[in-house]
Every structure is written in structure tokens, then in C-alpha cells.
Amino acid sequence: MLENEAVVDEIKAIVFRLQNEEYGVEVEQVKSIERLETITRVPKTPPFVKGVINLRGVVTPIIDLASRFNLPETEYTEETRVIIVNVGDIEVGLIVDAANDVIDIPVNAIEPPPEVVGGVKAEYLRGVAKMENRLLILLNLNKVLSMEEIQQLEQLEG
Amino acid sequence: MGMNQYLDMFIEESREHLQAINDNLLLLENDPDNVDIVNDVFRSAHTLKGMAATMGFEDMSSLTHQMENVLDQIRNHQIKLNSEIMDVIFQCVDVLESMVDSISEGGDGKEDVSDLVSKLEAILSGEFKSEETEVTAETGQASEETAGKEEAAQTTDFGLDQFEITVVKQSLDSGHQVYYIKTVIEEECLLKSARAYMVFNNLESMGEVIKSVPSVQEIEDENFDDAFEIVFITEKSEDEIRQSIESVSEIASVEIKKLDIDSVKAENDQVAATSTEVKQEENKKEVKKPGSNGKNGGKKVKAAGGKTIRVDIERLDVLMNLFSELVIDRGRLESIARRSGQHELMETVEHMSRISGDLQNIILNMRMVPVETVFNRFPRMIRDLAKELNKKVDLQISGAETELDRTVIDEIGDPLVHLLRNAIDHGLESTEERIAAGKSETGVVELKAYHSGNHVFIEIRDDGKGINRDKVLKKALDKGVVTEQEADSLTDQQVYDLLFSSGFSTAEQVSDISGRGVGLDVVKTKIESLGGIVSVESTPGEGSTFLIQLPLTLSIISAMLVKVEDETYAVPLSSIIETAVYKKDQIMHAHHQDVIDFRGKVVPLLYLKNIFEIPDGENPDRQEDEISAVIVRKGDKLAALVVDSFIGQQEIVLKSMGKYLVNLFAISGATILGDGQVALIIDCNALIK
């Protein structure tokens, strides 16, 4: 029974690049992948909130994932993508350096995250998947987009 | 299974009827001898029973059945209405409401009603012994027949049913005539049903046929001998009716008899008593037009309104969203046309704009709902509240027909409940205090809605003790909302406004009704989130008034687009007084603040660039020696927003910013401009302190 499950259970993940690391988010949470277009800045928001875009008639907030993780921001290039994710009733676009792959990850290849991976704190991570020749960091989007954290940040700044 | 498609209709109509019962019971409480009201309640209960039985909700139908019996005796003056009986009936309505709620949530609507049913039975038997058998036999029979059958509300097997008698009564009261007409068609007539049809046609142009024996259906099927009998309500005289019927050929004889209320009743009683006989003899059936079911029971008597259809609100929302997209494209087209300078294109676009403007009005109008839908639950709430607090309250509602956008309607209920409770709990004094103060025992709470310009106002006024300045100030000091120094310099109005600051509640005792820690600040937040304003006025000893100002619609607003550096912002026209350009040397300084003189008033300058920390743009479109300002207001306070340039006035579609960005500073939402860019909408209320 256990063995069976181990064989069958896989999650499908969108793979994207941030700095030099590869990250994954579950396909179910991803609505679409967009090219970066003009962003309207929203005043008095945390620095990682880049603003809002017009996503086919829906005003969608955009956050810079690198900046969210306190990593140095990179320049936006032709490769830069916006991954539109849905978590609960929140819809947000994440700016990443590139996104171009979908892979199946066997659940048993996922290990709990070490304290810090690629500069990202463990609490934002679901785990690390060790595939044949690559290491994939799985994000815990609930935590990444958590309201409480944003509010805490605001208080710190205020 | 087949019933599922009717379930929504059932729930909706049940709610309407329960609401009607609630309303009427409240009227009845003030006017216990008014049989008309009892009749209205009875009709609603009767219809409910029929519908519930048809849908198979046994508990609901058995409860309404007993209610109906009690009501029937009340209107026949066999039971004297008292407050205990009213309470039991109110309880019934509550239980029925919870049943409907349970059904609408997918439940089976089952509830233990035996307690209430036995209470109702006790009323029936306790108050009324001597004639009990006769009366229950009558009503019992009527209801058994109705409850048992599918066509419950449509068919009764004897004379005039209760509903029809009421119709007759009301018609007589309102000066109409009621006739019994027996028409006999010549024996050798070949197309009897056609002749009968012509008679009906003629009659219906003059009044209303409320009953026909045999039924219209049977007549149409030529399922009758030579004669048919009709009960007819009209304003015309007997002669006119006779002439009208006799103008149809092949009519052998017409017999017309004027009915008065006693004869109708007598006929009914007699018919009821000998119903089996009547059945065999005549097989009477009631006339109803196709499609009319029990629902008409409540409405028929009222003026028949325009033709309406029910539309799912979601469809309207979809329509609205699609239209919003169109408005955005319209804006885009307008700017393209202006740039191109092509005359033909500009003309076409202009025409299109006009049409879409009309379309916009229609769509917005479709979403308008009378505030009645919110107001109508208040009388009942106030009644219960008044009983609980042992105060006498007279709730006066006016302007319930005022219309508001549905989105606003959905949200406005809770704040209003809060304010009303507040008025009764804190506003009105206790009965003793009122008497001591020389006021009438009954406190008056006025709930008023009205239109003015682009806004709807809702006013809640009580004639209570008014707001106690010292108490409010003391509380504010305790809570640290204001400092001692500030406190002395505050005007009365400013003190009253403190009520809306967070964590404020003046009731000394925490009661069940209000003062649960959440205070008027919640009301204020809610109303401001709807784009509205709430304010309070008060005169000590005479009462307080809460005034809510709400926008007519939330979806499309007029706004002034302004540019600061490279960013575009929208300022709602509703808060703009005017736009103006000032020379730099007109700017004055006061208390470390730049101000200007606007028609003799000192108005602070708010530099949007600083407030919104707007980065320097490529080539800012501004003059070196002048500033452009939008003068905005919040209540009677003004401020001048300094911008680089004005783009122009435009209809914009309000878009939500989603759930991720919350508590934004001075931004109330966003809109999408003609070029597809997002522009933020400035919340002027937050900028003016």
C-alpha cells in the first residue's frame, strides 16, 4: 500500500528561475504565465509590491519574488515572466527571471527544506525536490502571500 | 426531482409571503380590530400552506394550517386577538422563516412544530368552545382539501373560498358592485362555448370575473349544458351588464342578481354546510387564469404592476462586467478618434458613445433595488427590541421606494441595524425618563431615505436625549482618543464625531443590543468602503440624527484624470469642487503648511507628488511659475491637491484591487484607462484630516 502510493503520487509543478536557483509551484495554483507589461505603481506599499497590472480587465497586484525573499533584485529582461497564481481568494502575479518548464515530481523525492536555501528562509518553502541532476525548491505560496506578514512588515516600516 | 426547478421559486415566494405576514402582523398589533389585515395575513398563510404542501414540506404545511385556523377564527371574531396570541403567531413566522432558510440551504425544512401546533390548538379550543365543532369542521374541510391536493391553491370544491370572499368584500368596500349572473344559451346553439367565450370577453372588458361555474376550462371544452353562472365584480350598472351580455346572439336568458356581503357569506356558509350536496349538484370550480397560482392570492388585490421577469443577479453582474469592458474600449476609441482627426470616425465614435451612454443608464437602472428590501425587516426587529428593552418605540419609515444599486443594498443592512439599535438602546430614554422629561411615552425613531443629486441619503433620527458631550469627552479621554488640551478646544460637532473613532462605546452597561465592543467605527468603515459618508447631529434633550450619504451606483463613476510626473490618477468628481491654476506667488504659508486663498477660505495645499512618493518622471508636464490644483472636499472641509496637469473628465469603471492589497493609503480602487493602463482612484476622504 505504502509502496504503491509512493510510486503513484506525483505533483505537477511549474518550474521557474530566480537568480541562479530553480523553483517550483504546483500547477493547480498557477492561472497563467504572462510577459511583463507596464506596471502601475501603488504608493505606500512594501517595496516588493511592484504595483498592479491590467490582466485582461482584472486589476492584478504584482510582487517581485526576489525582493519578497530579500534577494537582490535583477534587471527585467526579455526572459522575465509574471506567474499569475491563485491562493485562496487572492490572485497575484509573481515576477520571476524566467519560466519555461513543467515537470512531474514524485512526492517521495521531496525533502523538508533546510534552514536557508539560496537565501530563502525555510518558512516560505514546502520542501526541496532532488531530481536526477537538478535541485528544485518548492514554494509554500500560502506563506509567501500571507497577509499577516505583509501587515507586520508594514508596521516595521511605519 | 421534478420539483427542483420550482424550488427556487418556492423559496423566493415563501420569503415574500413571510415578509408580508410579518409586515401585516405588525400593522395588526397596532390595529387589532382591522379584519382586512387579518385577511391579508390569512391569505398569505393560506398560499404558503398550499405551496408547502405541493412541495412536500409537511411540517411547514401543518404549521401554516394551524395558523390559518387561528387566523380564520380571529377574522370571524370568534377569538379576540391579544398579545399572547400575537406572540405565538410571531413565533410561528420565525419558525417558518428558519424552515425556509433550511430549505434554501439544501435542507429538508423539517423542524419540530408540535409545540407550536399545540399552542395554536390551545388557542383554538381554549378561547372558543361552544361553536368549536362547527367552525373547525368548516375550516378543517377547506384546508384538508387544499392541503391535500396539488392544485391546492387553485381548486376548491365549494362556493367562494376565503380568498374570493375577501376579494368580494374589498370590492364592495371600495365601491364596486358584485353581481351573480346566470346566463342561459339557446338550446339549438351549435357553438355554445364560442358564445360563452364572447360573454366572458364582454364581461372582462367591464370588470373581473372572479368565479364561474362550470369552470372556464370546462366551458371551453364545451363540457356544460346550456347555462353557466358567474360571480362578477364591476363598476358598471346591472343594465349595462345585461346589454353587454345580450349583445351576444343566441343567448336565451340572463339573470342578474346583486350580491352584498351578507349574501356572499350566507351563500358560503350554506354551501360549506352542505358541501357534499353542492359537489354532486354543481361540481363548482373556481376560475383562474392560466399560470396564476396561489401567488396571486397576495397580489391580485393590489394593483397589477407592469410585466416583470425575474433575472438571476449573477447574470446582471456578468452583463455589467461586459459593459465595463465596453466602456473601457469606448474610452480608447474616443482617444484614437481624437488623435486621428478623421471627421467620419469621430462622428461614428461620438454616436457610439451616446448609445453606450444610454445603455449604461439602462444597465445601471436594472441593478437598482428599492431600499424597501432592507427596510422591511426593521419593523419586526424594532418590535422585538422595544419589548426586550421595555421601551415604547414608534418606527416611522419613509422613502422606502428610494432605489440604490444592489451592491450597496447588500452591504447597507448591517450598518443600518447597528444605527437603529443604537438609536433605541442609547438614543431613546427609558419610559420613566421620558415621562419625567415631559415627553410622550412612545419614543419616535424615524428612518428616512431620499434622493439628492447623485446621492442617496438615509437618515436615522430619534427623539431621545441627544448626545451627552461631557460623557463622550470623558470616554474619549479615558480611551486616549483625545488629549486634555485638545478636548477643551473641540466643537460640539467634533465631539460627536469622536463617536466614530475606533473602540468607542458610550453605553455604561454592555447590553445585549449594542455596545459589544464594536462601535460606530465599524459602521463608518463599512459606509466609507461603499463610497459613502456618515455624520451625526444632535440637540441635547431633543434627539440625534445620523445621516448616511451613499453613491447611487458603485460601478461606473465620473472622475477627473490628473497627471503627476509619469503617473495618472483619477479623482472622483463627487468630491471635486473645482480645478484651478494658481501663480506660485499666491501660495501662502501657515503652520508649516502651504495654503492658498480659495474664495476667502484658507485651503491647505497637498502635494500629491510628496504624499504618494511619486518618482521624478521623464518630462513632467507642468509650468514653472504656476501650480494646478484640484479643490476637493470632505464634508465642509477643503483641500487642494496639487498635480502637474489635468487630463480631463471621464467616466471610469471601478475595479477592485483584489484581496491582496489591503489597507491602501488614500487609494479607493483602480480603473483601466483607454490605453489599457491601470490608474488608481484617489480617496479624498483619507487625504483630508
Side-chain angles (χ1 to χ4, degrees), chain B residues 415-430:
Chain B
L416 285 182
V417 168
H418 202 104
L419 289 176
L420 281 171
R421 291 183 154 192
N422 210 59
I424 292 169
D425 196 16
H426 304 320
L428 294 182
E429 314 90 328
S430 66

Side-chain angles (χ1 to χ4, degrees), chain B residues 101-232:
Chain B
D101 285 346
S102 130
I103 293 167
S104 74
E105 279 152 22
D108 53 6
K110 282 206 187 305
E111 201 136 323
D112 185 16
V113 294
S114 53
D115 186 37
L116 275 173
V117 167
S118 56
K119 268 191 201 161
L120 289 168
E121 276 166 353
I123 294 173
L124 281 174
S125 57
E127 302 276 345
F128 188 73
K129 281 204 173 88
S130 51
E131 293 167 74
E132 182 190 41
T133 32
E134 194 189 322
V135 175
T136 40
E138 183 195 328
T139 52
Q141 183 188 18
S143 14
E144 251 167 52
E145 279 169 7
T146 40
K149 290 188 190 170
E150 267 220 348
E151 323 87 311
Q154 293 184 4
T155 323
T156 32
D157 282 346
F158 60 91
L160 293 171
D161 67 12
Q162 279 87 350
F163 166 55
E164 287 157 345
I165 294 178
T166 325
V167 173
V168 169
K169 255 193 235 167
Q170 283 183 348
S171 311
L172 287 169
D173 288 348
S174 57
H176 289 69
Q177 302 298 330
V178 180
Y179 294 103
Y180 160 86
I181 305 170
K182 182 170 181 177
T183 315
V184 182
I185 299 173
E186 286 174 12
E187 228 176 293
E188 53 271 25
C189 172
L190 288 175
L191 291 163
K192 282 180 194 154
S193 64
R195 294 297 168 213
Y197 174 78
M198 290 165 77
V199 171
F200 272 94
N201 222 8
N202 286 355
L203 287 178
E204 269 164 5
S205 66
M206 294 163 33
E208 195 178 0
V209 176
I210 61 160
K211 184 160 203 75
S212 142
V213 177
S215 75
V216 172
Q217 190 60 46
E218 284 169 293
I219 293 176
E220 272 177 15
D221 297 344
E222 205 136 342
N223 191 7
F224 71 113
D225 293 332
D226 303 326
F228 55 91
E229 295 158 68
I230 293 167
V231 177
F232 183 58

Side-chain angles (χ1 to χ4, degrees), chain B residues 268-411:
Chain B
N268 192 45
D269 286 351
Q270 175 225 331
V271 172
T274 59
S275 73
T276 28
E277 205 181 316
V278 177
K279 246 191 247 172
Q280 287 166 349
E281 209 177 82
E282 293 187 288
N283 192 20
K284 289 194 176 188
K285 289 224 169 148
E286 166 186 2
V287 182
K288 283 267 179 163
K289 289 172 194 117
S292 72
N293 55 8
K295 185 185 170 183
N296 272 10
K299 294 211 175 132
K300 196 169 176 179
V301 192
K302 293 180 195 163
K307 286 181 183 164
T308 53
I309 52 167
R310 280 175 202 264
V311 180
D312 194 342
I313 184 73
E314 271 173 33
R315 285 203 205 175
L316 282 186
D317 286 344
V318 172
L319 184 63
M320 189 67 218
N321 281 340
L322 285 175
F323 185 76
S324 315
E325 299 291 306
L326 210 62
V327 170
I328 291 164
D329 284 340
R330 177 180 79 189
R332 193 175 304 181
L333 260 180
E334 277 169 353
S335 69
I336 293 171
R338 255 200 311 274
R339 269 206 311 272
S340 82
Q342 275 191 38
H343 203 66
E344 256 185 307
L345 179 62
M346 270 157 78
E347 234 168 48
T348 318
V349 169
E350 206 171 284
H351 186 233
M352 206 192 85
S353 303
R354 261 205 308 278
I355 291 180
S356 72
D358 291 348
L359 196 59
Q360 177 177 326
N361 280 337
I362 292 174
I363 294 178
L364 290 180
N365 269 332
M366 276 199 307
R367 298 171 50 86
M368 299 299 255
V369 183
V371 281
E372 196 179 359
T373 49
V374 184
F375 282 8
N376 61 16
R377 64 180 151 122
F378 293 146
R380 175 68 198 280
M381 186 193 88
I382 299 299
R383 170 194 183 269
D384 293 353
L385 201 59
K387 275 211 159 177
E388 203 176 311
L389 291 169
N390 222 350
K391 290 182 180 176
K392 288 191 178 152
V393 181
D394 178 17
L395 177 68
Q396 297 175 351
I397 294 183
S398 61
E401 71 288 341
T402 314
E403 288 185 327
L404 265 173
D405 191 277
R406 228 203 94 102
T407 347
V408 185
I409 292 272
D410 287 346
E411 301 289 326

Side-chain angles (χ1 to χ4, degrees), chain A residues 38 40-45 48-49 52-54 57-59 61 63 89-90 92 145 147 150-151, chain B residues 325 567 569 611-615 655-657 659-665 670 672 676-678 680:
Chain A
T38 331
T40 302
R41 194 186 64 94
V42 180
K44 306 241 175 179
T45 44
F48 58 83
V49 175
V52 288
I53 59 162
N54 167 15
V58 178
V59 176
I63 68 178
D89 46 8
I90 295 176
V92 171
L145 302 180
M147 287 299 183
I150 294 176
Q151 272 150 15
Chain B
E325 299 291 306
E567 296 185 358
Y569 290 87
I611 291 171
F612 287 152
E613 297 159 355
I614 299 171
K655 295 265 179 186
S656 143
M657 303 267 280
K659 298 229 165 120
Y660 184 69
L661 296 174
V662 287
N663 301 325
L664 287 174
F665 170 72
I672 294 171
Q677 299 287 304
V678 179
L680 302 178

Side-chain angles (χ1 to χ4, degrees), chain B residues 391-659:
Chain B
K391 290 182 180 176
K392 288 191 178 152
V393 181
D394 178 17
L395 177 68
Q396 297 175 351
I397 294 183
S398 61
E401 71 288 341
T402 314
E403 288 185 327
L404 265 173
D405 191 277
R406 228 203 94 102
T407 347
V408 185
I409 292 272
D410 287 346
E411 301 289 326
I412 195 67
D414 288 346
L416 285 182
V417 168
H418 202 104
L419 289 176
L420 281 171
R421 291 183 154 192
N422 210 59
I424 292 169
D425 196 16
H426 304 320
L428 294 182
E429 314 90 328
S430 66
T431 313
E432 300 81 52
E433 279 175 318
R434 287 188 72 90
I435 296 171
K439 291 181 177 179
S440 86
E441 259 179 66
T442 311
V444 176
V445 174
E446 224 181 309
L447 178 60
K448 203 157 92 184
Y450 55 91
H451 253 148
S452 177
N454 240 345
H455 295 274
V456 167
F457 292 86
I458 301 179
E459 220 177 274
I460 295 155
R461 183 197 303 272
D462 65 65
D463 68 343
K465 54 182 175 269
I467 300 171
N468 185 330
R469 179 191 160 107
D470 296 337
K471 240 189 208 173
V472 173
L473 265 184
K474 189 170 168 289
K475 187 81 171 229
L477 287 170
D478 286 353
K479 299 260 171 185
V481 183
V482 287
T483 62
E484 298 255 0
Q485 293 118 310
E486 283 172 332
D488 292 334
S489 61
L490 290 177
T491 64
D492 282 357
Q493 191 56 49
Q494 282 167 325
V495 173
Y496 301 155
D497 286 341
L498 289 175
L499 289 174
F500 294 109
S501 43
S502 59
F504 209 96
S505 175
T506 44
E508 277 139 25
Q509 265 178 319
V510 173
S511 71
D512 193 27
I513 290 88
S514 46
R516 265 175 273 185
V518 290
L520 289 171
D521 59 317
V522 179
V523 172
K524 183 183 161 136
T525 317
K526 184 95 221 178
I527 287 172
E528 284 181 351
S529 77
L530 293 171
I533 301 168
V534 59
S535 60
V536 59
E537 282 164 29
S538 180
T539 317
E542 285 176 27
S544 330
T545 306
F546 285 85
L547 184 66
I548 300 173
Q549 176 190 325
L550 291 164
L552 264 185
T553 170
L554 286 182
S555 331
I556 298 182
I557 61 167
S558 293
M560 164 68 85
L561 295 183
V562 296
K563 202 150 181 119
V564 187
E565 301 293 347
D566 286 344
E567 296 185 358
T568 305
Y569 290 87
V571 186
L573 226 49
S574 55
S575 36
I576 297 181
I577 294 182
E578 67 177 52
T579 55
V581 177
Y582 291 93
K583 294 259 181 270
K584 283 236 163 114
D585 54 20
Q586 285 178 287
I587 301 175
M588 301 173 285
H589 303 278
H591 303 290
H592 310 288
Q593 166 84 55
D594 285 1
V595 296
I596 45 156
D597 174 74
F598 175 71
R599 294 188 194 141
K601 259 185 147 177
V602 176
V603 174
L605 285 178
L606 303 175
Y607 294 92
L608 280 189
K609 180 169 161 60
N610 300 344
I611 291 171
F612 287 152
E613 297 159 355
I614 299 171
D616 290 337
E618 312 241 303
N619 39 4
D621 179 17
R622 62 172 171 243
Q623 304 294 321
E624 280 313 312
D625 54 345
E626 284 176 346
I627 56 157
S628 306
V630 184
I631 316 282
V632 294
R633 64 148 182 251
K634 175 196 185 188
D636 46 9
K637 279 175 248 170
L638 303 181
L641 306 182
V642 179
V643 300
D644 287 352
S645 60
F646 309 121
I647 298 176
Q649 184 185 328
Q650 203 178 317
E651 301 266 283
I652 57 167
V653 180
L654 276 182
K655 295 265 179 186
S656 143
M657 303 267 280
K659 298 229 165 120

Side-chain angles (χ1 to χ4, degrees), chain B residues 27-67:
Chain B
L27 290 178
L28 192 60
E29 212 170 27
N30 296 324
D31 187 7
D33 298 323
N34 192 334
V35 179
D36 284 349
I37 304 176
V38 185
N39 274 325
D40 283 338
V41 178
F42 180 88
R43 260 199 316 274
S44 297
H46 181 78
T47 314
L48 262 179
K49 185 186 71 180
M51 295 195 311
T54 312
M55 299 296 292
F57 298 117
E58 302 285 337
D59 288 342
M60 202 165 152
S61 76
S62 70
L63 185 57
T64 37
H65 173 64
Q66 280 304 331
M67 252 174 88

Side-chain angles (χ1 to χ4, degrees), chain A residues 4-158:
Chain A
N4 261 347
E5 247 175 30
V7 174
V8 176
D9 271 6
E10 283 184 334
I11 59 168
K12 232 183 215 333
I14 304 270
V15 179
F16 61 85
R17 195 166 53 75
L18 204 60
Q19 317 285 24
N20 296 319
E21 306 281 350
E22 278 193 314
Y23 294 81
V25 280
E26 280 170 68
V27 145
E28 287 77 17
Q29 293 183 312
V30 176
K31 194 183 158 200
S32 62
I33 298 175
E34 311 283 333
R35 279 174 188 280
L36 189 63
E37 282 177 48
T38 331
I39 300 178
T40 302
R41 194 186 64 94
V42 180
K44 306 241 175 179
T45 44
F48 58 83
V49 175
K50 288 294 148 194
V52 288
I53 59 162
N54 167 15
L55 182 71
R56 288 176 286 277
V58 178
V59 176
T60 312
I62 300 296
I63 68 178
D64 186 301
L65 206 54
S67 153
R68 176 75 184 88
F69 293 147
N70 287 321
L71 302 172
E73 280 183 44
T74 43
E75 290 229 341
Y76 298 150
T77 65
E78 266 301 292
E79 291 234 293
T80 304
R81 291 290 178 274
V82 178
I83 303 182
I84 309 291
V85 295
N86 270 314
V87 180
D89 46 8
I90 295 176
E91 191 170 299
V92 171
L94 308 172
I95 300 178
V96 300
D97 290 344
N100 37 26
D101 205 0
V102 181
I103 59 166
D104 292 322
I105 308 168
V107 168
N108 61 0
I110 302 175
E111 290 172 12
E115 271 302 295
V116 174
V117 199
V120 179
K121 277 198 239 139
E123 55 179 322
Y124 299 133
L125 307 180
R126 230 188 92 172
V128 176
K130 288 200 176 106
M131 311 289 283
E132 289 138 35
N133 49 3
R134 60 209 284 203
L135 196 72
L136 205 62
I137 306 166
L138 293 174
L139 288 184
N140 178 351
L141 283 183
N142 283 319
K143 197 74 195 173
V144 174
L145 302 180
S146 143
M147 287 299 183
E148 287 129 50
E149 272 209 40
I150 294 176
Q151 272 150 15
Q152 276 167 17
L153 277 169
E154 272 172 2
Q155 277 163 7
L156 280 178
E157 285 180 9

